[in-house]
């Protein structure tokens, strides 16, 4: 022990005149403290101070003196071991770690590997978790210094696993924050970068674990609900068996009730479907009864006119009117009897069809009336012949009441399955008092030479059989506008 101290004192004299770059006073103070602690056999504190002396030497690139200091610390540790008759792996670990630091600065990979091997031995001998962590830090520094970033990151990962073992989420988060704080304090950019990567990966795994837990809870709830539903289904099945058994015991009465119930439901469905048709039919029957009662009064003036006519032309006019009345009555009655039988539909180019219909109707237009067709070129499912019957009648009727201006036929698509044909004229319009009976047959007694009033009711029936409606736009004030709306 005396020999070691003499060597230390001799080295102290060398250190009293250091090379330029190291504060001589600071180095002498550190060296003196190291010698003092060694004299007092305060081995742990002496080794800590000796490492500080070595660091001062390496800062001034005096590696020879730094390594000499490490050798003196080795001798001091040996004296301590002989005195206590026990190995001091923790002290040897600290000195070896200082040598590793210097060899890393010197880029001596072989010596770095040797120092790491020694540190592993000392760490195992000490069985100290703290030394194991220091060893991982030292390994990470070595790998980072020699460009092995992957291995360095693996060391930090192992270090974190050691620190967070057995800790909850909050404590683990604190470990990451502590490591980041340490990296920032030591200005250790590789450690800080590694910690951020590992922290991000850990947070992602936490989120994944939470999502997995939530999914597991949802799965449990789903399984519970499925089980509950199955139990309910089983109970329902049992109840059904009981009900069936009771129904069988009830015999003919229960069967009769079921049969009557089925008939009633069928009747209700059919009643709903036919309600509108029956209402219209009842109204028409009432009007037809009224018409039949008045038909003699309506026909008689025409017959008298025929008998009293002084010219064959007047007679022919009234005969044609009577003949047309009979024909229109037969047509309307035939349509009424087949009201619920709809016409077959097929694709029709409506632009071409509407232009052809307008060409036919234009021959009856006064010279001062302009014919306008505003219809896009597209196909629509309908019955071309019956559609033509409606539009042609409306166009010719408009021509009879329009002396000037224009008659327009338009088409508008309201939805994927609904479209409208709109016929507008600038004529005299329809008086308000007759609008409510416009589509009702046999509502009024007409002068047959001026028409029999069955045209619009017949067109309305045809529109119904085409799957649509024919209506008067009562808000239009500049003439007359009819809207034929069809549903595909």
């Amino acid at each position: 022990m005396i020999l070691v101290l003499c060597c230390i004192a001799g080295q102290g004299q060398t250190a009293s005149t250091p090379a330029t770059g190291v504060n001589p006073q600071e180095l002498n103070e550190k060296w003196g403290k190291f010698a003092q602690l060694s004299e007092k056999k305060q081995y742990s504190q002496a080794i800590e101070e000796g490492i500080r002396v070595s660091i001062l030497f390496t800062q001034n690139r005096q590696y020879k003196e730094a390594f000499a200091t490490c050798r003196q610390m080795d001798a001091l540790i040996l004296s301590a071991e002989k005195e206590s008759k026990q190995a001091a792996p923790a002290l040897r670990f600290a000195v070896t770690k200082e040598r590793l630091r210097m060899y890393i600065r010197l880029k001596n990979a072989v010596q770095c590997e040797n120092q790491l091997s020694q540190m592993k031995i000392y760490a195992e001998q000490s069985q100290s978790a703290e030394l194991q962590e220091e060893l991982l830090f030292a390994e990470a520094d070595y790998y980072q210094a020699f460009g092995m970033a992957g291995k360095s990151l693996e060391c930090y990962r192992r270090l974190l696993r050691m620190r967070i073992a057995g800790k909850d989420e909050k404590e683990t988060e604190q470990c990451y924050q502590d490591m980041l704080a340490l990296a920032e304090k030591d200005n250790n950019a590789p450690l800080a970068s590694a910690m951020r990567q590992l922290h991000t990966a850990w947070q992602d795994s936490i989120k994944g674990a939470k999502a997995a837990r939530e999914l597991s809870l949802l799965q449990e709830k789903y399984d519970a609900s499925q089980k509950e539903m199955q139990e309910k289904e089983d109970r329902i099945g049992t109840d059904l068996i009981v009900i069936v058994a009771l129904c069988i015991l009830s015999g003919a009465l229960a069967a009769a009730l079921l049969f009557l119930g089925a008939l009633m439901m069928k009747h209700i469905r059919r009643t709903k479907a036919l309600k509108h048709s029956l209402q219209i039919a009842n109204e028409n029957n009432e009007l037809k009864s009224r018409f039949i009662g008045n038909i003699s009064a309506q026909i008689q003036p025409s017959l008298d006119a025929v008998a009293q006519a002084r010219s064959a032309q007047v007679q022919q006019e009234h005969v044609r009117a009577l003949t047309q009345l009979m024909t229109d009555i037969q047509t309307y009655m035939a349509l009424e009897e087949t009201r619920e039988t709809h016409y077959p539909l097929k694709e029709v180019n409506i632009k071409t069809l509407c232009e052809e219909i307008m060409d036919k109707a234009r021959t009856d237009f006064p010279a001062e009336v302009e014919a306008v067709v505003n219809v896009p070129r597209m196909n629509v499912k309908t019955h071309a012949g019956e559609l033509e019957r409606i539009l042609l009648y409306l166009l010719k009727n408009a021509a009879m009441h329009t002396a000037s201006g224009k008659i327009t036929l338009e088409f508008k698509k309201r939805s994927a399955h609904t479209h409208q044909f709109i016929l507008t004229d600038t004529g005299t319009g329809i008086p308000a008092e007759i609008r409510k009976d416009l589509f009702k047959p046999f509502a009024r007694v007409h002068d047959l030479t001026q028409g029999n009033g069955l045209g619009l009711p017949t067109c309305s029936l045809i529109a119904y059989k085409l799957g649509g409606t024919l209506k008067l736009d009562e808000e239009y004030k500049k003439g007359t506008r009819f809207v034929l709306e069809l549903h595909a």
Side-chain angles (χ1 to χ4, degrees):
M1 181 64 186
I2 295 172
L3 177 61
V4 172
L5 292 175
C6 290
C7 291
I8 293 171
Q11 183 64 34
Q13 292 172 359
T14 304
S16 63
T17 56
T20 303
V22 175
N23 187 327
Q25 183 178 355
E26 181 184 3
L27 184 54
N28 284 331
E29 286 176 0
K30 295 290 183 186
W31 187 263
K33 191 173 181 181
F34 171 52
Q36 252 182 0
L37 292 169
S38 299
E39 287 263 350
K40 295 178 182 179
K41 299 184 179 181
Q42 295 178 356
Y43 300 113
S44 297
Q45 295 90 328
I47 295 302
E48 290 176 6
E49 204 62 37
I51 289 172
R52 293 190 185 98
V53 172
S54 175
I55 290 171
L56 287 174
F57 278 128
T58 55
Q59 285 176 353
N60 198 44
R61 298 184 179 277
Q62 293 178 283
Y63 292 102
K64 181 178 179 181
E65 289 81 355
F67 280 117
T69 303
C70 290
R71 288 194 295 274
Q72 290 169 8
M73 286 189 285
D74 287 338
L76 184 62
I77 294 169
L78 181 60
S79 298
E81 289 174 336
K82 287 180 179 180
E83 184 178 314
S84 63
K85 297 181 180 180
Q86 288 183 349
L91 296 179
R92 291 192 177 278
F93 182 93
V95 177
T96 308
K97 180 181 173 183
E98 172 58 17
R99 281 197 177 92
L100 173 65
R101 187 186 67 81
M102 289 189 288
Y103 282 125
I104 289 174
R105 288 171 65 97
L106 293 169
K107 299 297 182 182
N108 190 330
V110 175
Q111 284 298 334
C112 286
E113 292 285 352
N114 292 337
Q115 303 309 312
L116 282 171
S117 298
Q118 287 297 319
M119 288 171 68
K120 288 177 184 177
I121 294 171
Y122 297 142
E124 289 172 2
Q125 289 176 351
S126 68
Q127 298 182 346
S128 167
E130 185 178 349
L131 289 190
Q132 291 290 344
E133 288 187 5
E134 286 192 40
L135 175 62
L136 288 170
F137 270 118
E139 282 190 272
D141 289 342
Y142 162 69
Y143 289 129
Q144 190 67 38
F146 285 88
M148 293 179 278
K151 288 187 176 182
S152 177
L153 181 61
E154 179 57 31
C155 290
Y156 290 134
R157 191 176 284 114
R158 286 162 53 197
L159 177 61
L160 271 170
R161 283 200 293 267
M162 288 175 59
R163 288 197 170 186
I164 66 178
K167 289 182 171 58
D168 59 21
E169 183 179 333
K170 185 176 181 180
E171 292 171 332
T172 301
E173 175 67 26
Q174 189 58 50
C175 284
Y176 278 105
Q177 297 303 328
D178 291 344
M179 292 286 285
L180 281 168
L182 177 63
E184 291 170 359
K185 179 182 177 183
D186 294 343
N187 198 25
N188 190 336
L191 175 58
S193 175
M195 285 304 102
R196 291 191 187 96
Q197 291 182 43
L198 294 172
H199 188 224
T200 300
W202 174 75
Q203 286 183 321
D204 291 343
S205 68
I206 290 296
K207 290 177 183 177
K210 287 182 178 178
R213 286 197 297 271
E214 290 174 1
L215 180 61
S216 177
L217 289 173
L218 288 175
Q219 184 65 42
E220 289 176 5
K221 290 180 180 178
Y222 174 77
D223 293 341
S225 64
Q226 288 292 101
K227 184 179 179 181
E228 184 179 354
M229 288 176 63
Q230 185 61 47
E231 290 173 354
K232 288 181 179 179
E233 287 179 3
D234 293 341
R235 286 198 297 270
I236 291 171
T238 303
D239 293 342
L240 286 174
I241 292 172
V242 174
I243 291 170
V244 171
L246 291 174
C247 289
I248 293 172
L249 291 174
S250 300
L253 178 61
L257 289 173
L258 289 172
F259 179 70
L260 289 174
L263 287 178
M264 185 178 292
M265 291 300 296
K266 184 177 180 181
H267 176 70
I268 291 171
R269 288 195 298 269
R270 293 183 64 183
T271 300
K272 287 181 179 179
L274 297 174
K275 184 177 180 181
H276 182 64
S277 298
L278 288 174
Q279 182 181 356
I280 295 174
N282 288 334
E283 291 177 0
N284 289 345
N285 285 334
E286 182 181 348
L287 292 172
K288 282 187 282 185
S289 298
R290 190 188 310 163
F291 174 79
I292 291 170
N294 297 326
I295 194 168
S296 296
Q298 175 148 315
I299 294 176
Q300 191 61 46
S302 294
L303 293 175
D304 292 342
V306 171
Q308 297 171 7
R310 295 181 180 180
S311 68
Q313 182 178 357
V314 173
Q315 289 180 344
Q316 289 175 359
E317 184 178 347
H318 284 283
V319 169
R320 280 197 300 270
L322 288 168
T323 303
Q324 186 64 45
L325 174 62
M326 295 301 106
T327 301
D328 290 346
I329 289 174
Q330 291 176 355
T331 300
Y332 184 83
M333 296 300 293
L335 289 169
E336 182 65 42
E337 290 174 0
T338 59
R339 167 183 286 273
E340 298 305 323
T341 304
H342 292 274
Y343 293 119
L345 308 178
K346 68 177 183 178
E347 294 282 342
V348 176
N349 187 308
I350 55 167
K351 183 174 179 65
T352 302
L353 178 63
C354 289
E355 288 175 346
E356 291 175 354
I357 294 171
M358 182 62 84
D359 288 341
K360 291 178 182 180
R362 190 182 284 114
T363 58
D364 295 325
F365 285 13
E368 294 80 7
V369 175
E370 178 187 2
V372 179
V373 178
N374 186 11
V375 179
R377 187 174 299 279
M378 63 180 295
N379 290 341
V380 170
K381 270 196 171 184
T382 187
H383 190 289
E386 299 304 325
L387 177 62
E388 181 177 341
R389 283 178 67 183
I390 298 174
L391 297 180
L392 194 58
Y393 174 82
L394 294 174
L395 288 168
K396 289 186 175 183
N397 195 51
M400 292 172 59
H401 300 88
T402 306
S404 63
K406 60 183 178 180
I407 298 174
T408 305
L409 176 59
E410 299 176 86
F411 174 88
K412 290 186 179 179
K413 190 175 180 67
R414 295 302 185 188
S415 69
H417 304 289
T418 302
H419 42 270
Q420 294 177 340
F421 293 88
I422 303 170
L423 194 144
T424 308
D425 65 52
T426 57
T428 57
I430 298 174
E433 63 271 14
I434 67 172
R435 290 181 180 181
K436 62 185 180 64
D437 295 326
L438 204 57
F439 296 102
K440 296 179 180 178
F442 320 113
R444 294 184 298 116
V445 176
H446 294 267
D447 178 357
L448 295 181
T449 59
Q450 301 299 317
N452 53 43
L454 288 174
L456 286 175
T458 300
C459 288
S460 180
L461 262 179
I462 295 171
Y464 181 82
K465 290 168 67 66
L466 283 173
T469 57
L470 177 63
K471 294 181 180 179
L472 174 69
D473 184 355
E474 298 190 20
E475 296 182 359
Y476 188 72
K477 306 299 182 184
K478 297 180 181 180
T480 304
R481 173 173 287 169
F482 285 98
V483 178
L484 172 62
E485 183 170 285
L486 301 180
H487 306 281

